[in-house]
Amino acid sequence: MIYNFGLQISMLLFGTNSIVSLDWVDSLIIAVYFVFVLGIGYYLLRFTKTGDDFFLAGRKMTSWIAGLSFVAANLGSLELMGWAASAYQYGILATHWYWIGAIPAMLFLGLIMMPFYYISKTHSVPGYLKLRFGQGASMLSAVSFGLMTVFMSGINMYAMALVMKVVLGWDINFSIWVSSVTVMVYVVLGGLLSAIFNEVLQFMLIWLGALVIPIVGLVETGGWSGMVARIHQNFPTGNYTHLWSNLGSFNDNPMGIHWTGIVFGLGLIISFGYWTTDFLVVQRVLSAKDLRSAKMAPIIGAGFKMMVPLIVILPGLLGLAVIPGLVGEQQAVATGAHSYNEVLPLMLARYAGPGLLGLGVTALIAGFMSGMAGNVSAFATVWTYDIYRPLHVSLAKKEESDAYYVKIGRWCTIIGVIVSIGTAYLVQQFASIMDYVQALFSFFIAPLFGTVILGMLWKRTTAAGGFWGLFAGIFSSVSMWLWVKVDPAALKIIALSQNAKGMAEDMYRALWSWIICVSVTVIVSYFTKPKPEAELVGLVRGCTAIPSEGDLPFYKRPVFWGSVIFVIFIALNIIFW
Amino acid sequence: MIDNKGISIWFFIGVLLLIYGIIITIANIFETFFNSFGRNVVLRNLDFGLWWGILLIILGIVYSVGFRPWKNK
């Protein structure tokens, strides 16, 4: 029995029938990582006493820590693997999700929206909705966010375990339990503080583990121009190295998307919805120590986000240059060839020597764990403060102590991880659930952005307008999705083209649902009575005094750094046009 | 950072990078001179692993010394 157990552990750690196999030195690197993250969680337990400590990291984070954590919470391992695969499939077009699909929204969050989130002293996005629109809109947003967050966490967990099985030969149960229990332990111990500290650590590891591929890859191909020449040689008819020049028609690019979908659907709606209202990322910024740090954090995050294509998209492009012939998943299963979904580990195995391979695998694990910690810490906050607390107060007719809610937060973390694990096993049995939950998540993002932005910028918006606009947006998004499912010909109406692929459909659906949300909010608001301006102080532009930054030198002002990042963003788009 | 009363996250990162740098450097010295692991990676002649290990050691020292917890005591 002991022998079998030892053999099993050995097989788990060193892998069989996998893309890469680890030496003891690689396993040592991974083991040290787990010891460190658990050690940090244990160390931070002593600093986590109050609700603010547990749910908002004591609001003591510097702009750098909040900014790095803001990006790291979004940089899951599936993001690394998935976008590298997309870059192999679609070329540099995948970069849009990092540039126009993130940078303007992150800058908008920092410069325009953050003052209201921060000055209102809210602990969450649903918390802001409660202050602005009352309990109805807040509860609708909190319940949808809470449920979707743990479901998505479970889906990511299963997908990660599947990746570890394919790449390293690790047992699925081993990957699920070891990674999720580790995350649970350090988040239960140190709350958001522990999640943020580990996210910053994980962010560094992701970069140091993944940078090996672009550096050695560019040496092998003879730099950027050498890589482009090899791609053209390998794929003479493909257009893999231009960002915008092939988006004039749905048929000119492999994504089947038009530039209007990228600019309006992705750049204006989906990205603004995600980066400015998804509490998973906004929570990191709310932990900043003061308003200037809170404004700077998304700007610093935007600077790093702009560089992420170096470690995600470039490996995919290098793959096109040096390992042509990777195929789609179905063909890979049928023929035994490698799939382009495996391009990142294949490139890692190609370049990473002893120890570096362990560092690269640690980067993947760190990516997954930072994403999961983001999910469970955000879930614990929203569930405790925005769902449990109002229900408990209305039923028990009394308010509880701060320590009580910290205890509930810890239990919510444990429950969140357990539900995530349950979802992971459910997805293992019924794979189609994954598509449905992902679609479900997308239903809420665009309308929520419409509700929050009107609430922040237009004082005439009423509580009824906020609630019914959000409801109509979500309802219309679900209806459009169902319509295309039932009648595929509806794609021509929803996504403006019968050739539109899934991503294009998502973008146009987001755009329409946002327009419907905003229209309904405006119409209902004009027919209902607004709150007196005195009640909107700290919540709405025009009713809130934003502290002046006039006394700061220009190089310390968020607007200066926001402008610098925006100019670089424009320049990069022109360079890779 | 925790209000100057706790250990900075950058110190933790420095120590971790230092440990990783030492492990990777030693492993790649053995790989370079004795072919101990027998990894057949592309551009092996560049000894990239060795240089990366040294870079991690330097970064580790910079962060762990620069943010050492006993600095302000």
Side-chain angles (χ1 to χ4, degrees):
Chain A
M1 187 66 191
I2 292 171
Y3 167 79
N4 285 341
F5 181 70
L7 180 67
Q8 198 179 358
I9 291 292
S10 164
M11 285 173 68
L12 289 173
L13 293 180
F14 295 96
T16 53
N17 299 325
S18 52
I19 293 174
V20 295
S21 65
L22 302 178
D23 283 306
W24 64 266
V25 68
D26 302 306
S27 302
L28 180 63
I29 296 268
I30 298 169
V32 168
Y33 166 74
F34 275 93
V35 170
F36 248 76
V37 293
L38 288 172
I40 289 176
Y42 178 71
Y43 169 72
L44 293 175
L45 174 62
R46 72 196 68 183
F47 299 104
T48 315
K49 307 286 185 210
T50 67
D52 251 12
D53 292 337
F54 189 83
F55 297 110
L56 285 172
R59 289 190 193 254
K60 291 172 185 166
M61 296 298 108
T62 64
S63 53
W64 279 90
I65 291 180
L68 291 181
S69 161
F70 177 69
V71 181
N74 162 264
L75 197 64
S77 55
L78 292 175
E79 170 115 350
L80 299 175
M81 299 267 301
W83 285 111
S86 293
Y88 193 97
Q89 197 179 356
Y90 302 122
I92 204 172
L93 278 183
T95 311
H96 283 306
W97 272 255
Y98 288 89
W99 290 352
I100 195 169
I103 306 304
M106 291 165 97
L107 298 180
F108 188 79
L109 171 68
L111 296 174
I112 308 294
M113 295 175 74
M114 212 55 229
F116 304 104
Y117 278 137
Y118 200 83
I119 292 172
S120 69
K121 297 273 179 209
T122 182
H123 46 265
S124 68
V125 174
Y128 175 82
L129 291 178
K130 185 182 175 186
L131 295 170
R132 180 66 182 88
F133 296 122
Q135 198 66 63
S138 170
M139 195 58 91
L140 182 60
S141 143
V143 170
S144 57
F145 174 82
L147 291 177
M148 290 310 106
T149 300
V150 286
F151 288 157
M152 282 301 286
S153 174
I155 286 172
N156 288 338
M157 190 189 295
Y158 172 67
M160 170 67 184
L162 208 57
V163 165
M164 286 301 163
K165 183 178 169 59
V166 173
V167 175
L168 298 167
W170 287 3
D171 180 76
I172 284 188
N173 299 306
F174 175 81
S175 296
I176 287 177
W177 283 94
V178 169
S179 55
S180 56
V181 169
T182 305
V183 169
M184 183 180 79
V185 169
Y186 76 70
V187 177
V188 165
L189 289 171
L192 183 64
L193 186 61
S194 187
I196 286 179
F197 265 47
N198 276 304
E199 278 158 8
V200 176
L201 181 94
Q202 286 149 356
F203 186 78
M204 297 290 282
L205 290 180
I206 289 167
W207 273 93
L208 289 168
L211 254 184
V212 173
I213 297 172
I215 293 174
V216 188
L218 285 177
V219 173
E220 186 188 359
T221 55
W224 175 266
S225 54
M227 180 194 77
V228 171
R230 279 207 202 189
I231 293 175
H232 288 162
Q233 190 185 340
N234 292 340
F235 304 93
T237 55
N239 187 349
Y240 289 97
T241 51
H242 291 285
L243 267 180
W244 292 101
S245 61
N246 54 353
L247 291 181
S249 156
F250 286 93
N251 301 320
D252 287 350
N253 60 83
M255 264 187 191
I257 198 162
H258 189 256
W259 69 267
T260 52
I262 292 284
V263 172
F264 299 111
L266 174 66
L268 276 181
I269 306 303
I270 290 185
S271 99
F272 275 69
Y274 176 74
W275 288 103
T276 65
T277 62
D278 189 315
F279 180 53
L280 191 157
V281 287
V282 173
Q283 185 181 28
R284 270 76 198 141
V285 188
L286 289 176
S287 71
K289 63 181 180 177
D290 53 36
L291 178 57
R292 184 185 161 273
S293 301
K295 289 171 81 174
M296 278 301 294
I299 295 168
I300 291 170
F304 281 99
K305 184 76 180 173
M306 209 153 49
M307 293 193 285
V308 171
L310 263 180
I311 55 169
V312 176
I313 307 297
L314 193 48
L317 295 176
L318 285 163
L320 285 169
V322 298
I323 44 172
L326 302 185
V327 295
E329 197 62 51
Q330 286 180 339
Q331 200 181 340
V333 171
T335 61
H338 281 298
S339 149
Y340 46 65
N341 289 330
E342 297 159 4
V343 65
L344 196 66
L346 284 171
M347 295 294 279
L348 205 55
R350 183 180 179 86
Y351 297 130
L356 287 187
L357 190 57
L359 194 60
V361 172
T362 304
L364 292 178
I365 296 172
F368 164 70
M369 286 171 61
S370 64
M372 185 179 179
N375 278 319
V376 294
S377 53
F379 167 79
T381 306
V382 165
W383 196 263
T384 304
Y385 274 137
D386 299 308
I387 298 173
Y388 178 82
R389 189 179 183 179
L391 290 176
H392 179 76
V393 169
S394 72
L395 291 174
K397 307 285 182 205
K398 63 168 185 172
E399 183 57 285
E400 298 287 351
S401 67
D402 193 45
Y404 176 82
Y405 289 114
V406 173
K407 191 174 77 178
I408 295 295
R410 288 200 158 102
W411 276 110
C412 283
T413 305
I414 294 169
I415 292 166
V417 171
I418 291 170
V419 175
S420 294
I421 292 172
T423 308
Y425 282 109
L426 202 63
V427 174
Q428 193 176 358
Q429 299 298 318
F430 308 100
S432 58
I433 291 176
M434 196 182 293
D435 295 333
Y436 290 113
V437 174
Q438 278 171 340
L440 207 54
F441 198 74
S442 74
F443 297 148
F444 302 101
I445 288 179
L448 183 59
F449 171 59
T451 305
V452 171
I453 198 69
L454 278 177
M456 270 184 188
L457 301 184
W458 191 43
K459 57 190 175 190
R460 183 68 183 73
T461 317
T462 65
F467 176 80
W468 287 110
L470 183 61
F471 183 81
I474 294 170
F475 182 77
S476 63
S477 187
V478 175
S479 303
M480 283 184 275
W481 181 76
L482 280 174
W483 188 17
V484 175
K485 281 275 172 209
V486 173
D487 175 17
L491 191 64
K492 193 175 180 183
I493 300 168
I494 303 293
L496 307 179
S497 165
Q498 200 63 55
N499 297 324
K501 301 283 194 300
M503 278 184 181
E505 185 199 337
D506 287 346
M507 273 173 244
Y508 282 103
R509 196 174 62 235
L511 182 61
W512 305 137
S513 64
W514 183 83
I515 290 171
I516 289 168
C517 167
V518 168
S519 306
V520 171
T521 306
V522 170
I523 292 166
V524 175
S525 291
Y526 271 123
F527 285 98
T528 46
K529 192 181 168 192
K531 277 184 174 181
E533 284 199 20
E535 290 181 25
L536 301 178
V537 174
L539 299 171
V540 185
R541 195 177 184 87
C543 303
T544 306
I546 310 283
S548 164
E549 288 162 353
D551 55 327
L552 292 172
F554 77 91
Y555 59 86
K556 285 192 173 179
R557 292 182 198 174
V559 70
F560 170 73
W561 288 109
S563 306
V564 169
I565 297 291
F566 192 74
V567 168
I568 297 172
F569 159 73
I570 296 291
L572 284 170
N573 276 280
I574 293 171
I575 291 168
F576 294 99
W577 189 271
Chain B
M1 280 172 228
I2 318 169
D3 266 5
N4 299 325
K5 63 183 180 185
I7 301 174
S8 165
I9 178 61
W10 304 114
F11 176 74
F12 284 110
I13 290 172
V15 172
L16 184 62
L17 295 186
L18 187 58
I19 294 171
Y20 277 173
I22 292 168
I23 294 172
I24 291 172
T25 305
I26 292 173
N28 280 277
I29 286 172
F30 277 92
E31 177 72 347
T32 302
F33 295 105
F34 308 109
N35 197 21
S36 303
F37 296 91
R39 286 275 175 85
N40 191 24
V41 296
V42 172
L43 295 176
R44 194 187 155 157
N45 57 316
L46 292 180
D47 297 323
F48 186 79
L50 191 57
W51 293 111
W52 204 248
I54 292 169
L55 173 74
L56 292 183
I57 290 177
I58 294 170
L59 283 175
I61 291 172
V62 168
Y63 275 103
S64 51
V65 171
F67 293 93
R68 62 193 182 279
W70 55 90
K71 190 166 121 180
N72 296 325
K73 285 184 181 170

